[in-house]
Amino acid sequence: MPSKLDSRIDYVFYQPGRLSALYADVIGDKLRDRTPTGLWPSDHAGLVVRLRLSSR
């Protein structure tokens, strides 16, 4: 059964300057993320973002 996730609800807001975004990824939306019994880990996916703080 494919994921039925169809919209984005999570955002990460930041002010460019000392922070820069390196990457963002959605987790929990792939078939391999399901539990051994076939359930999805949650009713919504997670968002992982890596930010870099510069030391100016």
Side-chain angles (χ1 to χ4, degrees), residues 16-35:
R18 291 194 59 200
L19 283 177
S20 58
L22 301 179
Y23 74 85
D25 191 23
V26 175
I27 59 171
D29 63 336
K30 309 282 186 301
L31 287 175
R32 67 177 180 262
D33 296 331
R34 296 189 320 180
T35 66

Side-chain angles (χ1 to χ4, degrees), residues 4-23:
K4 293 183 180 181
L5 300 172
D6 62 359
S7 61
R8 178 179 18 190
I9 60 171
D10 295 323
Y11 291 88
V12 174
F13 295 99
Y14 69 96
Q15 289 186 330
R18 291 194 59 200
L19 283 177
S20 58
L22 301 179
Y23 74 85

